[in-house]
Amino acid sequence: MFIELKTERLLLRALENHDVNQILFLRSDLVVNQFVERQKTKTKDEALEFIKRIQLSVSNEEVCYWSICLKTNSKLIGTICLWNFSRELNKAEVGYDLHPDFHRKGIMSEALHAVLEFGFQSLNLNHIDAYTQYDNLSSVYLLKKFGFKHDPKRKDSGNKKNHIYILNNTN
């Protein structure tokens, strides 16, 4: 079951088919993807296919995925998710991206706060991981701001530039 989240300025809502142009941008823009190693989305059809995969994963309760929107405008400006769940370890991984026009405005801090609270309080997670490239200073700063700690013992076999950060539930 999808849960919409609200913050002071933001609405974290379900990903919809009409978000196709924004998803195409987020998954193809050089600035957004400079620290992400993933296949770039090249067409609207590919973006719509991605949306449909996410919608199916949400309905199967395999992922929690939100479109980040300002409360004053329902247009998607970014995304944030909890995914890669481990039921045995009671943990998940957080991922996020944001349109460059909205960088350095506290938007991702606000969205991350809501998602961490949801993960720890509603899903009763014990740990949340985050993978980010060591030179993605904005992301590293954001994670450290929320208390994530770099775990130098863990390595991302898919991306040698990634560092793995962990946040433990302190409740």
Side-chain angles (χ1 to χ4, degrees):
M1 178 176 81
F2 179 81
I3 305 289
E4 193 173 84
L5 302 176
K6 294 179 182 176
T7 69
E8 183 180 334
R9 298 179 295 165
L10 305 176
L11 170 64
L12 305 183
R13 62 165 175 79
L15 184 63
E16 301 291 343
N17 291 352
H18 64 80
D19 295 319
V20 67
N21 289 329
Q22 291 78 25
I23 290 296
L24 176 58
F25 176 83
L26 288 175
R27 297 187 63 81
S28 63
D29 181 69
L30 293 177
V31 172
V32 174
N33 291 280
Q34 67 182 322
F35 299 110
V36 182
E37 289 190 15
R38 65 180 174 200
Q39 185 70 34
K40 303 291 186 273
T41 302
K42 296 179 184 94
T43 66
K44 274 187 169 183
D45 286 343
E46 288 178 357
L48 192 56
E49 187 178 302
F50 171 80
I51 290 170
K52 291 187 182 306
R53 275 196 322 270
I54 293 298
Q55 290 169 334
L56 180 62
S57 294
V58 169
S59 69
N60 290 336
E61 297 184 353
E62 298 165 343
V63 66
C64 298
Y65 194 98
W66 295 272
S67 297
I68 302 171
C69 307
L70 298 174
K71 281 184 175 176
T72 57
N73 183 344
S74 65
K75 183 178 177 180
L76 181 152
I77 60 172
T79 66
I80 190 165
C81 66
L82 290 171
W83 69 294
N84 206 9
F85 286 90
S86 169
R87 305 285 181 221
E88 302 81 34
L89 299 174
N90 205 28
K91 73 173 187 171
E93 182 180 334
V94 66
Y96 43 80
D97 55 18
L98 187 65
H99 192 292
D101 289 352
F102 296 92
H103 287 182
R104 304 199 186 295
K105 298 179 187 294
I107 300 244
M108 195 52 74
S109 287
E110 204 168 314
L112 182 59
H113 181 268
V115 168
L116 293 175
E117 190 173 87
F118 175 80
F120 288 136
Q121 293 180 7
S122 298
L123 299 180
N124 297 311
L125 295 173
N126 291 329
H127 315 280
I128 296 178
D129 292 346
Y131 289 52
T132 194
Q133 287 191 12
Y134 63 84
D135 53 350
N136 185 349
L137 300 181
S138 294
S139 186
V140 169
Y141 174 79
L142 176 69
L143 295 171
K144 286 181 174 181
K145 175 180 171 182
F146 282 93
F148 280 83
K149 304 285 186 215
H150 175 230
D151 184 351
K153 295 176 187 161
R154 290 180 60 202
K155 304 292 181 197
D156 180 358
S157 61
N159 183 346
K160 293 183 190 322
K161 291 183 178 181
N162 271 352
H163 282 179
I164 301 172
Y165 289 80
I166 300 168
L167 181 64
N168 295 313
N169 188 357
T170 56
N171 293 341

